[in-house]
């Protein structure tokens, strides 16, 4: 899943997360506002997905273009 759409965002580790097809559909079509609040979706107006934290199961991380995660 591209957190920021392929049209606007880079193909770097900070912009990519693995989701099964059911979860991807839920993120993109089911609850997009909630997904954006959790960082699963990054606005196309955001300059860099690295600046948008990702929250999963109550844990918030920042994904870096190097692929490393920081608390």
């Amino acid at each position: 899943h591209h957190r920021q759409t392929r049209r606007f965002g880079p193909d770097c580790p900070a912009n990519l997360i693995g989701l099964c097809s059911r979860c991807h559909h839920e993120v993109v079509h089911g609850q997009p506002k909630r997904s954006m609040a959790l960082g699963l979706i990054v606005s196309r107006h955001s300059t860099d997905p690295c600046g948008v934290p990702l929250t999963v199961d109550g844990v918030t991380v920042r994904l870096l273009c190097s692929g490393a995660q920081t608390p």
Side-chain angles (χ1 to χ4, degrees):
H1 165 69
H2 286 80
R3 296 172 64 212
Q4 190 175 51
T5 63
R6 284 182 282 186
R7 182 174 179 190
F8 297 102
D11 277 336
C12 71
N15 196 33
L16 302 168
I17 56 175
L19 296 175
C20 70
S21 59
R22 189 182 110 247
C23 290
H24 184 266
H25 187 272
E26 182 67 19
V27 165
V28 175
H29 303 291
Q31 297 187 23
K33 288 183 182 179
R34 180 176 184 269
S35 297
M36 190 170 282
L38 294 173
L40 294 164
I41 295 176
V42 176
S43 169
R44 67 181 181 161
H45 302 290
S46 178
T47 57
D48 185 2
C50 292
V52 179
L54 173 67
T55 303
V56 178
D57 293 332
V59 177
T60 301
V61 295
R62 286 195 185 272
L63 302 177
L64 305 176
C65 285
S66 65
Q69 297 181 7
T70 59

